[in-house]
Amino acid sequence: MTLISSSTRVIAPLLILLSLVILYRGHNLPGGGFIGGLTAAAAMMLITLNGVPSKFEKHWNNLSLVLIGSGLVTLFCSFLPSLMTGAAFMEAMWLPTVYLPILGKVKLGTPLIFDIGIYLAVIGFSIKCANVFHANSSSETDH
Amino acid sequence: MFFALTFSILASAFLLVPLIKKFSGARVLVSLPAGLAFFAFLFMGWPSLRSGEVITHTLEWFPSMGINLDFQLTGMGFVLGLLVMGIGALIMSYASGYMKGDAKETRLYLLLYSFMVAMVGLAVSNNLLLFFIFWELTSIISYLLVGFKHEYETSRKNALQALLITGGGGIAMLIGLVMLSHVGGAWTFTELTANAHLITESALYPYILTLVLLGAFTKSAQFPFHFWLPNAMGAPTPVSAYLHSATMVKAGIFLMFVMTPILGGTELWKTTLITTGSITLLVGGWFGLTQKDLKAILAGTTISVLGLITFLIGIGSDKAILAAILVMVAHALYKASLFMMVGAVDLATGTRNINELRGLKKWMPLTATAALLAGLSKMGLPPFYGFIAKEYLYKAAIPLPMEWIQAVLVLGNAIILALAIKVSIIPFFAKDKEKQESASDNPLHKNELDWTMSVSPFVLAILGVLFGAFPNLITPMVHTAVHSITPEANLYAVKLWSGVNWPLILSIFTVGLGLALFFSSRWLEKKETPKSWGVVIYERLLEAVLCLFKKTTRVVQSGYLQNYLAVILIATVALVAWKSIPTMGLWVSYESNLTLTPIIIITAVIMLISAFWICITKSKLNSIIALGVIGAGVALLFAYYSAPDLAITQLLVESLIVVMFAWVIKDIKPHNLSTPLLLNSWYLIISASFSLLIFTLVMKSKLVNLAPAISQKMVEMSYPEGFGSNVVNVTLVDFRALDTWGEATVISIAAIGVWILGKNLISKKS
């Protein structure tokens, strides 16, 4: 077990967790869907570099497309509330603020859904590129 | 309500057909939606049409431009709609027998239903653009249907040919229609009819007429565009019977009908239509005479009849319009029937060669009867509907001052008669004198195929007799159709027997000439049909266009990234410099309130060294690392000047790009790495001028304030309106969400591009 592969096991989940935090806090502090997505993409690239565990290998190639697709769908879903309530298209809608134990003041709304869509699409795009380049370079070493 | 009902019944087919296919043994049920729609259309449309009430419906589309989805039921549209759905239902039932066991069966049904929807839409649309949309839909669906057996190259080629010719005509027609609405001041047929005098008197009239007729002529296979029709016969027989004889080719005819009150009546209109129609009549007939394939012969006579109808519309008198509608209905009935018969014979014997088929009545009595009845109607003998149509055709032509026209008509009809004997009598009733070993002695199936395949042609053939014997059954509908085209027309009664008169004498003469042609027709058959010059021109043109684009692509798409970059950068520099230097001047002075601290200076120096290093190094890895250093430096600058979001993004993107570069680095082959980039003066000039431009612009941007900056407003509104204190994020997900949405879509499309490029790369290697 090389240094990279052993550290990946620790770092990748941490990175994904970090990316979620970045995604969530983005509305008020540096972060957001794009940065969070890139952070998660870094984790995914680590996994790709390190060799995908064999039980996920079959789904790994489709994962990017699924992520991109669900990202776009999520983006569209974030517009639905404005469409249904008859407000201007894409107008942001917010739920009343609630206070939760660990998170503190929580204010949920369509911009967060929108940000999640960006997050998913960015990860999808990055790992599509990573997959293609990785497959390309490994196919060269094989032949 | 009327339109909604008709369309929703037809649309229900998309749900029902797969269900029927899956759960029901009675596959003939696939014709059910078409049949229901036919009766709904008939029983709801006819009473109001008869009482003179106009059924219209308008859905708003672009109301500000006066373009709406206007539907209106006219007499002509009613007749066309009935043909489309009635024959459609019979074709669907026939297809359920013909396609039995074919893996792509459902696909055919659904394509036929899509076609039906488009065709009915065409018949009831009252708006030029709506009409055009349905028109193009029929072309596209025809493409899919002609190319149905897409595993064969000829099939794909012929489908493309049909699409390019009808599609090209469609584009010409669109231009014509736009000009028409511009001159006539309206988008609906009804309003344009009221403004007809504006259009025929306009200076643009000849151009409008030419463009619109180009659409009609290509669609209805008029000379010189007729050659696509015989080639389209490679499609499965239900398709040929439905699209290429009974309905789609009638779309062009329908266009000429509805344009008669708008564009018609002028000398130009008459001359063009009469000439084209008579040439098409003879060319189609001649083509049919030289063929041995049953389907090709039928294609030839279809072209002839289409020419005949065009000719009649060109005459434009009350009698001629009546005759044109009669010919159209009679032709739809007998031709669809004959096509279905040919399909059955083809399946049963495995051949369509006229010389190998004899005495089939022994094996296929029902099909033989249908063929006989339809054939007699086609020959124009009493008491069939074809006879009535032909009588009225002569009645319309006799008053014309041009004698040659009557000769052309008699010859054309005689050819049609000779071909009708060849197609519908010989294969079934002639005895094989030479006792050769032929396919009909030993058919693949020694009896009638599936009952659906003989019933449909039979029903249509019987209708031909019924309407011939009792024309008053449908005369009221024909009359409303005539009225919808020429509202002041005298309505002539449609009778089977109108005494001994000139048309009858011409008819008798036609029969004699036709028989003579039939007996001499064996000498006219050709072993191989030479390509007609229409096909040759088409192929040359297609080749030339493809060649041109190949050459252009080779010049424009060099495949080297540095060439693309060079073009982009040079263009940017030239365009921006051209606009900005005259107004802003070149001189730059440093005026800024940003202070230069040691950290910034050190960062800048490191970045400069890296940039220089990229230029002189020959190692690809070194240049990538140096690029990464520059990126990190930029991130540092962002962070220092308090733009944390930008800094984080920059850093992440830089790191990911370096990783990706590492994957592909061995594949990057700069084509002149032998000289360091710095020494390559060409690249030096480009990059120097580009960086100079950017530098100037950045420095100048402090001084230029064209409009009050919006950024201040965004900062102010971020928290109260966007409920977020990170202005960058609020801008991205709220204020400018539309832009972000667009960008997300762009990267998704880019991902597809990366995917395909990667696939190609990998398959090239292995």
Side-chain angles (χ1 to χ4, degrees), chain B residues 220-222 226 229-230 233 240 244-246 249-250 253 277-291 293-310 327-328 330-332 334-339 341-342 354 374-375 377-380 411-424 517:
Chain B
S220 284
Q222 298 293 304
H226 60 284
L229 189 61
M233 291 297 159
S240 312
H244 304 119
S245 71
V249 286
K250 300 275 164 52
I253 300 291
S278 13
I279 296 175
T280 311
L281 170 66
L282 293 183
V283 166
W286 176 253
F287 175 83
L289 280 176
T290 57
Q291 299 298 310
D293 183 314
L294 282 173
K295 254 185 162 179
I297 298 176
L298 285 179
T301 57
T302 304
I303 297 174
S304 288
V305 174
L306 292 170
L308 207 53
I309 304 175
T310 306
V327 173
M328 186 173 118
H331 175 254
Y334 70 69
K335 191 53 69 66
S337 172
L338 285 176
F339 260 112
M341 169 283 278
V342 166
I354 194 100
S377 183
K378 185 182 178 188
M379 288 174 219
L411 182 60
N413 276 309
I415 294 176
I416 293 175
L417 183 131
L419 294 176
I421 300 178
K422 253 175 118 170
V423 170
S424 60
L517 268 172

Side-chain angles (χ1 to χ4, degrees), chain B residues 549-568:
Chain B
F549 283 111
K550 251 181 216 159
K551 279 186 181 156
T552 341
T553 312
R554 214 169 290 152
V555 173
V556 177
Q557 304 285 352
S558 64
Y560 288 104
L561 197 56
Q562 48 268 63
N563 291 357
Y564 298 124
L565 266 181
V567 171
I568 294 169

Side-chain angles (χ1 to χ4, degrees), chain A residues 26-29 31-32 34-35 45 65 68 75 79 90 92 94 105 114-115 118 125 128 132-134 136-137 140, chain B residues 645 648-649 660 663-664 666-667 722-726 729 733-734 737-738 740-741 744 747-748 751 755 758 765:
Chain A
H27 213 57
N28 290 312
L29 296 161
F34 191 69
I35 296 175
M45 276 195 190
L65 294 181
I68 292 173
L75 284 179
F79 308 142
M90 298 178 92
W94 294 93
K105 185 178 159 191
F114 187 89
D115 232 4
I118 299 289
F125 173 73
K128 183 84 252 174
V132 165
F133 293 147
H134 184 67
N136 182 39
S137 75
E140 192 161 79
Chain B
D645 279 276
I648 300 172
T649 313
M660 290 199 202
W663 268 316
V664 292
K666 0 185 227 313
D667 291 335
F723 301 111
S725 41
N726 180 353
N729 187 261
V733 300
D734 197 345
L738 186 66
T740 317
W741 189 24
I747 64 164
S748 311
W755 185 25
K765 279 181 183 169

Side-chain angles (χ1 to χ4, degrees), chain B residues 393-657:
Chain B
L393 156 72
Y394 285 144
K395 270 186 197 163
I398 284 170
L400 288 182
M402 302 160 272
E403 281 83 8
W404 60 270
I405 283 209
Q406 281 130 32
V408 167
L409 285 184
V410 170
L411 182 60
N413 276 309
I415 294 176
I416 293 175
L417 183 131
L419 294 176
I421 300 178
K422 253 175 118 170
V423 170
S424 60
I425 310 276
I426 298 303
F428 296 96
F429 300 99
K431 290 207 179 71
D432 198 351
K433 282 182 215 148
E434 291 141 31
K435 269 285 156 213
Q436 284 169 340
E437 186 69 26
S438 66
S440 51
D441 287 333
N442 199 7
L444 303 168
H445 305 273
K446 293 225 169 190
N447 43 28
E448 291 278 354
L449 298 152
D450 199 281
W451 62 273
T452 49
M453 294 186 65
S454 33
V455 164
S456 289
F458 198 73
V459 169
L460 284 178
I462 290 288
L463 282 180
V465 190
L466 201 65
F467 293 158
F470 308 102
N472 283 333
L473 284 175
I474 56 166
T475 303
M477 292 176 194
V478 175
H479 280 161
T480 15
V482 174
H483 252 185
S484 73
I485 297 158
T486 44
E488 280 103 42
N490 288 321
L491 295 175
Y492 294 94
V494 179
K495 287 180 294 189
L496 181 63
W497 179 251
S498 39
V500 180
N501 51 15
W502 266 109
L504 190 69
I505 294 167
L506 282 182
S507 277
I508 294 168
F509 189 61
T510 309
V511 174
L513 186 62
L515 285 174
L517 268 172
F518 166 69
F519 287 114
S520 53
S521 66
R522 283 213 69 155
W523 291 287
L524 294 173
E525 279 171 22
K526 288 181 190 161
K527 282 215 178 76
E528 274 175 32
T529 329
K531 276 185 191 166
S532 75
W533 55 267
V535 181
V536 176
I537 291 177
Y538 164 82
E539 281 176 354
R540 289 267 165 80
L541 214 59
L542 190 64
E543 222 169 85
V545 169
L546 290 180
C547 184
L548 176 73
F549 283 111
K550 251 181 216 159
K551 279 186 181 156
T552 341
T553 312
R554 214 169 290 152
V555 173
V556 177
Q557 304 285 352
S558 64
Y560 288 104
L561 197 56
Q562 48 268 63
N563 291 357
Y564 298 124
L565 266 181
V567 171
I568 294 169
L569 296 184
I570 292 171
T572 312
V573 170
L575 288 174
V576 176
W578 173 44
K579 276 288 163 196
S580 62
I581 289 179
T583 52
M584 302 196 304
L586 266 174
W587 183 246
V588 188
S589 61
Y590 181 74
E591 285 173 43
S592 172
N593 48 5
L594 294 178
T595 43
L596 290 175
T597 56
I599 299 178
I600 295 306
I601 293 170
I602 293 169
T603 317
V605 169
I606 293 174
M607 284 165 70
L608 277 176
I609 294 172
S610 313
F612 191 71
W613 180 245
I614 294 173
C615 296
I616 55 167
T617 183
K618 280 187 181 180
S619 149
K620 286 179 281 186
L621 192 63
N622 284 356
S623 53
I624 287 164
I625 293 172
L627 261 182
V629 170
I630 296 180
V634 172
L636 200 65
L637 290 182
F638 280 146
Y640 188 81
Y641 290 116
S642 60
D645 279 276
L646 291 187
I648 300 172
T649 313
Q650 174 76 26
L651 207 58
L652 278 166
V653 168
E654 281 303 329
S655 350
L656 294 185
I657 282 182

Side-chain angles (χ1 to χ4, degrees), chain B residues 109-129:
Chain B
Y109 300 148
L110 292 185
L111 280 174
L112 285 176
Y113 268 111
S114 323
F115 175 78
M116 211 181 287
V117 172
M119 204 65 202
V120 173
L122 189 102
V124 297
S125 55
N126 188 24
N127 187 301
L128 294 180
L129 286 182

Side-chain angles (χ1 to χ4, degrees), chain B residues 338-370:
Chain B
L338 285 176
F339 260 112
M340 290 195 263
M341 169 283 278
V342 166
V345 167
D346 188 11
L347 275 195
T349 62
T351 180
R352 294 196 304 251
N353 188 331
I354 194 100
N355 296 325
E356 292 175 20
L357 295 165
R358 292 289 183 272
L360 284 175
K361 72 165 190 294
K362 217 172 4 174
W363 316 116
M364 319 173 81
L366 201 56
T367 310
T369 324

